[in-house]
Amino acid sequence: MTYQVGAYLRLSRDDERDGESLSIENQRSIVTDYITKKGWVLVDTYIDDGLTGTNFDRPQFQRMIDDVRNGRINCVVVKDLSRFGRNYIQIGEYTDYLFPTLGCRFIAINDGIDTLEKENELMPFKNLVNEWYSRDQSKKVKSAKIARAKNGFFMGAYAPYGYIKNEQRQPPLLIDEYAAPIVRRIFEMRATGMGYRTIATQLNDEKIIPPREYYYNSIGKPNPKKGLRSWSDVVVREILKNEAYIGNIVQMRKGTISYKNKTQVNRPEEEWVRAEGTHEPIVSLVLWETARKLGDRGTVGKSNKDGEISLFSGLLKCGDCGRSMKFVRDSNTRKDGHRNNHHAYICCGYSQGGKAICSPHRTLESIFSDLILGDIREKAQMISLDQDAVIAEIKRKKQADITTEQKAMEKKLQSLRHRLSELERLISKLYEEMVLGDIPREMVLDMMDKYKKEQKEKSILAAQLAEQLTHSQEVEHDIREWVSLIQGSKDIKRLDRELLIKLVEKIVVGQKSMVDGVERQEITIIYNLVGRID
């Protein structure tokens, strides 16, 4: 019989280390010589250069499989099994099920494997050896990357906006004199409470070139992504989260689910590799922390018709209806004709719908200023007298809130990791039973799909849960940071908006009432990092 043959050649980046013996040309020579000696017809050659064997989603491999399905070729020839792939489960799906079903012969020359022959008992073991090799290579590559990351080598394809890559490697990043001031300004705008979209809009209005467009301009090439030629809230958010701007390089933030499954997932923060002080920072640590602690909150406060944001705008909440409080200017005229101007805040619910919605809660801005200043000084005094006692008390209250939630997360994460180990074992056992003929192929493949789908979903969920658990364990760090902020603010004479944004999450304002002939009003300060401190 004359076969219509497809020659498959593959070389991964890891295989390149093994030299000429695995090169594409070497494989081509061996395979074409074999086909010629057999007198068969070489229909096409399929080459995947630089692609791993653990993943079968390779362009030329899939094109070859399509040709098998379409009847264009009825024989696949490779130099050895490792060129076909290094995942013994998926190799079995092709060689034991798909190819025989479609009437396609498979030959691995150097391994002496030919599916036309019935004596191929060694093939599963060769597949296992190839997979073990791939697992070992994956571990070595990962270890090398972690070592480079710990030593402060920047492994990204592009430098963060505001920097350029240093060809001399040390320091890894150099200041870009054009873009660095723009980065600094973005942090300053965020520190005053501006939202991501508001910042992006302002940069677009000022015709400032966005990062991707700036990069392509700098290398003299057109930007291939037409939709990314302006600033967006996403771009601004990513800049504000990047520790490169305080001199740190954080890498290994993403990884694959396993050496077999190359789906990219976010790693839990404890697995990130952080090299500190590797290069010159663009922003100060104080400015970075101010912007960071705003998290993903939108614009803190709204500007008036003159474009100004009032001192407490966005921070005041009505204690009754929960709405924000609106800045207003009041004035009255004394008997002597002098006109008094007052800055005050009223409930937005009352402003929009009157007393049917809520009461005014009208409070002068000066009252809030005096209250905040007094509370800062009081807390600073408490800290100076016994800092450890203050930290311990705050920690006790916060820990009580999160302990139950943290225990639940830990239990769920442990359960997920146990199930993932079990799925890995089940998948391996299924293939072994299929090879031995204990379970029908159709049933095995159906079960395999279900297990793999569950494995992927649970791997992503476990990574997300691990990251949440890390954040819940940062209580003491947050408390000490708050203590440091209070101590650094104890001598201030006047509040400004930047300090308020640093310290205060919100201020809850109650309605005034008369008690025993005395006007009373409950105002509660909720601080960033620690919440309410009585």
Side-chain angles (χ1 to χ4, degrees):
M1 179 178 178
T2 300
Y3 284 95
Q4 306 298 308
V5 183
Y8 183 70
L9 322 175
R10 183 188 65 81
L11 185 70
S12 73
R13 292 187 180 90
D14 294 336
D15 294 325
E16 288 171 0
R17 300 188 185 95
D18 292 333
E20 179 62 26
S21 63
L22 288 175
S23 73
I24 293 295
E25 289 308 313
N26 175 264
Q27 292 177 53
R28 189 196 303 271
S29 174
I30 292 171
V31 172
T32 53
D33 283 352
Y34 181 87
I35 295 168
T36 301
K37 287 176 183 177
K38 292 287 185 179
W40 297 339
V41 178
L42 177 60
V43 175
D44 208 338
T45 301
Y46 310 86
I47 304 172
D48 282 314
D49 199 355
L51 297 177
T52 178
T54 58
N55 182 358
F56 284 77
D57 189 20
R58 305 171 226 141
Q60 291 299 303
F61 181 89
Q62 292 301 325
R63 186 170 73 86
M64 178 183 71
I65 296 302
D66 287 342
D67 284 348
V68 171
R69 292 181 189 277
N70 296 329
R72 185 170 178 242
I73 58 175
N74 60 4
C75 181
V76 172
V77 178
V78 294
K79 174 176 172 280
D80 56 54
L81 268 176
S82 67
R83 300 306 90 210
F84 191 75
R86 292 188 185 276
N87 183 323
Y88 80 95
I89 293 173
Q90 287 188 271
I91 289 175
E93 290 176 8
Y94 287 106
T95 59
D96 295 344
Y97 176 71
L98 182 66
F99 287 169
T101 302
L102 296 174
C104 180
R105 186 175 178 180
F106 174 77
I107 297 171
I109 299 167
N110 287 357
D111 292 320
I113 290 170
D114 184 344
T115 55
L116 191 64
E117 308 294 333
K118 301 302 181 184
E119 305 299 325
N120 285 312
E121 290 89 349
L122 289 177
M123 184 159 66
F125 299 101
K126 288 180 179 289
N127 286 337
L128 275 173
V129 170
N130 287 329
E131 182 165 323
W132 288 334
Y133 172 83
S134 184
R135 186 198 301 249
D136 183 58
Q137 288 296 103
S138 177
K139 287 180 179 178
K140 288 177 180 176
V141 170
K142 183 179 177 181
S143 296
K145 284 183 177 179
I146 290 173
R148 287 171 65 83
K150 286 180 176 178
N151 289 326
F153 286 96
F154 181 73
M155 295 184 289
Y158 315 104
Y161 181 69
Y163 289 103
I164 54 176
K165 289 175 75 171
N166 185 2
E167 298 301 326
Q168 306 302 316
R169 294 194 174 182
Q170 291 299 328
L173 299 173
L174 300 173
I175 295 283
D176 182 328
E177 298 300 334
Y178 168 81
I182 298 168
V183 170
R184 196 174 299 114
R185 186 172 165 224
I186 288 170
F187 276 89
E188 289 168 350
M189 287 192 285
R190 181 60 176 158
T192 64
M194 290 178 68
Y196 304 133
R197 184 167 295 179
T198 306
I199 294 170
T201 299
Q202 187 159 329
L203 295 172
N204 285 326
D205 289 345
E206 295 175 15
K207 309 296 184 189
I208 293 173
I209 303 172
R212 183 176 287 274
E213 191 76 8
Y214 177 66
Y215 167 76
Y216 281 105
N217 285 352
S218 69
I219 62 173
K221 292 183 178 180
N223 182 355
K225 297 196 175 182
K226 296 179 180 179
L228 297 174
R229 293 184 176 177
S230 60
W231 288 90
S232 69
D233 55 341
V234 175
V235 173
V236 171
R237 184 187 292 112
E238 288 304 309
I239 286 175
L240 291 165
K241 286 166 56 178
N242 196 334
E243 286 189 40
Y245 300 119
I246 52 172
N248 302 340
I249 294 180
V250 181
Q251 299 180 106
M252 310 299 287
R253 295 177 62 169
K254 290 189 174 184
T256 56
I257 291 175
S258 71
Y259 71 99
K260 296 180 186 179
N261 189 334
K262 300 302 179 181
T263 302
Q264 288 279 317
V265 295
N266 293 324
R267 295 179 186 274
E269 193 168 337
E270 64 265 22
E271 293 182 15
W272 297 357
V273 179
R274 179 179 282 100
E276 298 183 353
T278 58
H279 55 277
E280 184 181 349
I282 289 177
V283 301
S284 69
L285 190 58
V286 173
L287 181 56
W288 158 267
E289 290 292 350
T290 302
R292 185 179 73 89
K293 287 305 175 184
L294 288 172
D296 285 329
R297 291 162 69 186
T299 302
V300 182
K302 294 183 178 179
S303 57
N304 59 24
K305 61 183 180 181
D306 298 321
E308 298 173 347
I309 299 178
S310 60
L311 185 60
F312 289 93
S313 182
L315 296 173
L316 302 173
K317 300 294 178 183
C318 174
D320 292 316
C321 71
R323 289 179 171 86
S324 296
M325 296 189 68
K326 176 183 178 181
F327 176 74
V328 293
R329 287 188 175 93
D330 291 346
S331 63
N332 59 16
T333 304
R334 296 191 319 211
K335 291 180 181 180
D336 60 5
H338 181 78
R339 190 176 184 83
N340 289 323
N341 294 312
H342 304 290
H343 291 175
Y345 295 85
I346 62 171
C347 171
C348 281
Y350 171 80
S351 174
Q352 293 165 2
K355 291 184 178 180
I357 303 296
C358 198
S359 52
H361 293 70
R362 182 183 180 281
T363 309
L364 291 175
E365 185 174 84
S366 58
I367 290 176
F368 292 125
S369 295
D370 292 343
L371 177 68
I372 297 287
L373 282 171
D375 201 62
I376 290 172
R377 290 167 186 153
E378 180 188 322
K379 300 297 187 288
Q381 179 69 13
M382 290 166 54
I383 291 166
S384 65
L385 290 173
D386 194 342
Q387 179 174 314
D388 291 340
V390 171
I391 291 173
E393 178 60 17
I394 299 172
K395 187 176 179 181
R396 183 188 66 78
K397 289 180 179 178
K398 284 183 70 67
Q399 202 70 46
D401 294 335
I402 68 168
T403 298
T404 304
E405 181 184 356
Q406 186 172 321
K407 284 182 178 178
M409 281 196 292
E410 287 173 347
K411 186 176 180 180
K412 189 173 181 181
L413 182 59
Q414 186 179 8
S415 174
L416 279 171
R417 286 173 172 166
H418 176 74
R419 179 59 179 166
L420 284 168
S421 298
E422 188 179 26
L423 284 169
E424 190 73 32
R425 181 181 60 79
L426 287 170
I427 290 170
S428 298
K429 189 177 179 182
L430 264 179
Y431 177 69
E432 290 166 6
E433 290 178 341
M434 182 178 73
V435 171
L436 294 171
D438 294 343
I439 303 179
R441 287 190 181 93
E442 293 79 5
M443 185 183 294
V444 169
L445 293 174
D446 183 55
M447 293 171 69
M448 196 89 73
D449 285 342
K450 291 177 182 176
Y451 284 153
K452 285 181 180 178
K453 184 179 179 182
E454 184 185 355
Q455 187 182 45
K456 181 178 178 180
E457 290 171 351
K458 282 186 165 47
S459 294
I460 295 170
L461 185 59
Q464 292 171 344
L465 202 58
E467 188 172 356
Q468 289 175 23
L469 195 56
T470 300
H471 290 315
S472 73
Q473 294 167 341
E474 294 178 347
V475 175
E476 186 159 349
H477 175 270
D478 287 349
I479 295 171
R480 291 191 178 277
E481 192 171 330
W482 176 81
V483 165
S484 177
L485 283 170
I486 291 291
Q487 287 176 317
S489 308
K490 64 182 179 181
D491 296 325
I492 61 166
K493 303 294 187 232
R494 184 180 176 185
L495 282 177
D496 60 40
R497 185 156 176 82
E498 186 174 339
L499 178 62
L500 273 173
I501 296 296
K502 276 185 195 175
L503 286 174
V504 177
E505 179 184 335
K506 62 182 177 180
I507 301 165
V508 181
V509 185
Q511 174 60 15
K512 296 173 184 176
S513 61
M514 298 298 294
V515 180
D516 298 329
V518 178
E519 188 177 69
R520 296 185 181 276
Q521 183 179 23
E522 183 177 348
I523 299 175
T524 305
I525 303 167
I526 310 295
Y527 285 101
N528 286 322
L529 303 171
V530 294
R532 178 175 177 173
I533 305 295
D534 296 323

